[in-house]
Amino acid sequence: MEKTISLKEIWAEFRQKNPKVRIREAARILGVSEAELVATGVGDHVIALKNTFKDLLKEVSSLGRVMALTRNEFCVHERKGRYEQVSFNNHVGLALGPDIDLRLFMSHWKIGFAVQENDRKSLQFFNGEGTAMHKIYLTPDSDLTAYNQLVERYRSSVVPDPLVSTAWPQGAGNEPVDLPASIDSTTVRDFQQGWLELKDTHDFFGLLRKYGLNREKAMHIAPEGHAIQAGTEQLTEIFEKASERQLPIMVFTNSAGCVQIHTGLVQRLVTAGLWFNVLDPDFNLHLRLEGVASVWLVRKPTTDGIVTGIEAFNSSGELIVQLFGKRKPGIPEDPAWRSLTGEVFEIR
């Protein structure tokens, strides 16, 4: 009788042969989800957590200084700091510290683990398909005792059921986006008017839902002068000029269940192979440029005046990363940011 090889054995053998391949890429290669691979360590170096993640997140501040990680297929956002002012309104949550700044969409958070990888400890959260929503890593400045106590309080005796393997995209980054050619002229006109009447950037999501558009498609029918397309060279140039001018910016990266925001300077920029990186002490960004299918400068009206953003999308019209000038509600956009973006996008 042939021996059935378990996923745990397959994963162990894969790691031995490919020690530098990260778990997300390994899951893609093996045709399973990342959470399925993590779950093979339960009882060894992994502890399953109760699905009471709102309560758990309210206690993460006890860990002190940690590293928050949120990523999508083409961008990894890592920010060090403390979790502060964590609150929830139904399934939507906020963390509003000066360093860790998050928007949390808890309906996507289904599975959690405490993980020890060599000497590195973390809390990792996944959706029902096993895709990572958010991860929290301890740093040398974290409170290890508080971490151990937190894990014990939220330890689950129930290991999650086998997950539905994520259908990894094939050839991501190459497929064309279908443009909204079928939208009638009246709808386009009404959408453009709605855009021009925006009072807050957060209202844009409701406008998209009203007209059944994703963000990237909306760029193609924006009011004149409010969405200007460019290339990846303009995206990296924005980082470079912000670094040269010591101009603080806001960098947004999202998974399905979390938006993570860095506000501050970007200083050490490094291109390595296919990746464009920000490698600062408290903020790291890893952007896979080949996955960027389109880049847009986007202008939205608000009660504080026009707000200018840079939005990068993959070939499926999904948002990869957004850039803004540093600002707070009630304060107009920094003229230095508007000048920088105008210069890079050659707007007179």
Side-chain angles (χ1 to χ4, degrees):
M1 181 178 295
E2 294 184 4
K3 178 185 177 182
T4 301
I5 301 176
S6 69
L7 180 58
K8 184 173 184 176
E9 292 172 303
I10 293 171
W11 176 217
E13 181 179 356
F14 183 94
R15 280 182 295 177
Q16 186 176 19
K17 293 179 178 178
N18 307 277
K20 295 184 178 181
V21 176
R22 295 187 179 275
I23 189 170
R24 184 182 177 99
E25 181 61 21
R28 178 199 297 275
I29 293 169
L30 295 173
V32 297
S33 71
E34 182 179 348
E36 284 177 286
L37 293 184
V38 174
T40 63
V42 171
D44 181 11
H45 61 283
V46 175
I47 296 171
L49 300 173
K50 297 175 184 176
N51 188 351
T52 51
F53 301 138
K54 294 179 190 177
D55 295 332
L56 185 155
L57 288 169
K58 290 177 182 178
E59 296 190 49
V60 169
S61 61
S62 68
L63 307 184
R65 182 176 167 81
V66 296
M67 188 270 278
L69 186 153
T70 300
R71 69 164 300 167
N72 53 54
E73 190 67 17
F74 299 112
C75 189
V76 185
H77 190 298
E78 303 171 357
R79 189 63 167 86
K80 292 178 181 175
R82 297 177 61 97
Y83 281 69
E84 300 179 27
Q85 300 184 59
V86 177
S87 63
F88 295 92
N89 182 4
N90 295 320
H91 290 298
V92 178
L94 301 170
L96 294 176
D99 300 316
I100 305 296
D101 187 359
L102 308 172
R103 308 295 177 265
L104 304 163
F105 306 100
M106 302 306 295
S107 61
H108 295 278
W109 294 43
K110 303 297 184 183
I111 297 163
F113 299 104
V115 181
Q116 181 170 339
E117 304 161 286
N118 299 318
D119 294 328
R120 200 176 194 198
K121 297 178 184 291
S122 63
L123 304 171
Q124 303 188 13
F125 306 95
F126 301 84
N127 68 8
E129 293 185 336
T131 301
M133 297 293 95
H134 186 62
K135 299 180 181 181
I136 303 167
Y137 285 89
L138 268 59
T139 72
D141 299 319
S142 302
D143 188 327
L144 181 57
T145 299
Y147 172 83
N148 290 332
Q149 292 173 345
L150 183 69
V151 170
E152 284 305 309
R153 277 197 297 279
Y154 290 93
R155 177 192 288 263
S156 174
S157 59
V158 179
V159 179
D161 292 332
L163 308 171
V164 177
S165 296
T166 301
W168 294 103
Q170 300 298 314
N174 299 319
E175 301 88 347
V177 174
D178 293 330
L179 301 184
S182 61
I183 298 179
D184 63 80
S185 59
T186 300
T187 300
V188 171
R189 184 195 63 207
D190 292 346
F191 171 75
Q192 291 177 343
Q193 188 62 34
W195 184 313
L196 295 173
E197 293 174 355
L198 288 170
K199 304 298 182 185
D200 189 297
T201 56
H202 297 99
D203 296 337
F204 191 65
F205 179 69
L207 187 65
L208 295 177
R209 290 188 65 180
K210 179 178 179 179
Y211 292 98
L213 297 169
N214 70 15
R215 297 182 75 99
E216 205 275 346
K217 287 185 177 181
M219 300 301 111
H220 292 273
I221 59 170
E224 184 176 357
H226 285 70
I228 300 169
Q229 189 169 12
T232 55
E233 62 274 16
Q234 278 80 23
L235 176 61
T236 55
E237 188 178 354
I238 291 287
F239 280 102
E240 290 161 0
K241 290 191 180 297
S243 176
E244 291 168 4
R245 300 175 190 184
Q246 294 289 284
L247 180 68
I249 63 174
M250 302 178 76
V251 184
F252 291 61
T253 299
N254 64 284
S255 68
C258 182
V259 177
Q260 184 164 308
I261 306 164
H262 162 75
T263 301
L265 299 175
V266 291
Q267 300 184 86
R268 183 170 177 244
L269 309 181
V270 178
T271 300
L274 299 173
W275 295 87
F276 175 82
N277 306 279
V278 180
L279 302 176
D280 292 336
D282 291 337
F283 174 56
N284 281 196
L285 188 81
H286 312 290
L287 178 61
R288 193 175 177 93
L289 294 176
E290 69 170 356
V292 178
S294 65
V295 178
W296 297 81
L297 179 143
V298 184
R299 290 168 159 171
K300 300 190 185 84
T302 74
T303 54
D304 304 318
I306 292 290
V307 170
T308 307
I310 309 298
E311 304 193 3
F313 299 90
N314 68 16
S315 63
S316 298
E318 297 167 333
L319 192 59
I320 298 174
V321 65
Q322 288 177 288
L323 308 179
F324 295 91
K326 179 182 178 181
R327 64 177 293 271
K328 293 287 186 182
I331 300 174
E333 180 172 84
D334 186 346
W337 167 253
R338 189 172 297 178
S339 174
L340 185 157
T341 56
E343 176 184 332
V344 171
F345 280 73
E346 298 182 348
I347 301 170
R348 298 292 181 260

